[in-house]
């Protein structure tokens, strides 16, 4: 499974809007703070219970950073490196937290033995990652410490 985080150009406010796709299908909208966002690239994912939120979240394995995850929120000032993920977007505001749904989709894929990776890229960048190489660079291994 490939999760794509397709980033738009940062707004003057520092909000970075994005679309989140799963295996090429639209899933929801993302929102980040440009001052804290992690670089474009390919990342492995893992799941665990968030001490802050007390619920299962999908974490992004960003080298040199910790506790970077997908979680709910509405504005870019509500994140310091994480990706807010939601069903609705109005300008630089999102709503309808989809982080639990994302965890369930990723958890189901892991339970089927599928590899899962995240590709973060700019909107104007062509897809540089093929599903066939997920196993070659790493797979999602769900941390069962829930």
């Amino acid at each position: 499974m490939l999760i794509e985080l397709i980033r738009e150009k940062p707004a003057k406010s520092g909000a970075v809007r994005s679309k989140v796709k799963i295996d090429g299908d639209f899933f929801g909208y993302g929102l980040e703070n440009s001052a804290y966002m992690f670089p474009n690239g390919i990342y492995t994912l893992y799941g665990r219970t968030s001490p802050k939120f007390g619920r299962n979240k999908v974490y992004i394995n960003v080298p040199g950073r910790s506790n970077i995850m997908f979680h709910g929120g509405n504005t870019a000032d509500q994140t310091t490196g994480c990706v807010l993920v939601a069903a609705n977007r109005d300008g630089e505001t999102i709503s309808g937290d989809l982080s639990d749904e994302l965890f369930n989709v990723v958890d189901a894929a892991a339970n089927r033995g599928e590899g899962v990776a995240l590709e973060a890229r700019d909107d104007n960048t062509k897809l540089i990652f093929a599903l066939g190489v997920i196993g070659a660079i790493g797979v999602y291994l769900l941390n069962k410490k829930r």
Side-chain angles (χ1 to χ4, degrees):
M1 173 183 294
L2 176 64
I3 298 174
E4 297 172 76
L5 179 66
I6 306 166
R7 293 169 166 155
E8 298 176 11
K9 183 178 177 182
K12 289 182 182 180
S13 68
V16 178
R17 301 179 338 156
S18 60
K19 290 180 183 157
V20 178
K21 293 184 176 184
I22 298 177
D23 288 340
D25 294 327
F26 178 79
F27 177 77
Y29 296 102
L31 191 63
E32 298 171 87
N33 185 322
S34 65
Y36 303 104
M37 65 188 235
F38 53 90
N40 287 338
I42 308 296
Y43 298 92
T44 56
L45 305 172
Y46 63 97
R48 71 176 172 122
T49 301
S50 164
K52 180 177 181 178
F53 296 104
R55 297 194 323 249
N56 293 327
K57 298 294 176 191
V58 175
Y59 282 75
I60 306 162
N61 190 13
V62 178
R65 309 264 308 262
S66 60
N67 296 317
I68 305 299
M69 71 180 98
F70 287 94
H71 66 79
N74 303 108
T75 60
D77 63 351
Q78 295 175 323
T79 178
T80 54
C82 296
V83 179
L84 307 180
V85 62
N88 308 300
R89 178 169 77 180
D90 184 12
E92 294 179 18
T93 303
I94 60 174
S95 62
D97 179 8
L98 288 176
S99 61
D100 290 339
E101 288 84 349
L102 181 61
F103 179 87
N104 291 338
V105 168
V106 171
D107 185 42
N111 288 334
R112 290 189 303 270
E114 291 181 36
V116 180
L118 171 71
E119 180 187 32
R121 63 184 168 89
D122 293 333
D123 191 24
N124 60 354
T125 305
K126 293 190 186 272
L127 185 66
I128 60 169
F129 188 75
L131 286 172
V133 298
I134 288 176
I137 65 166
V139 296
Y140 171 92
L141 297 174
L142 183 64
N143 183 341
K144 296 292 184 179
K145 296 179 187 173
R146 297 185 194 169

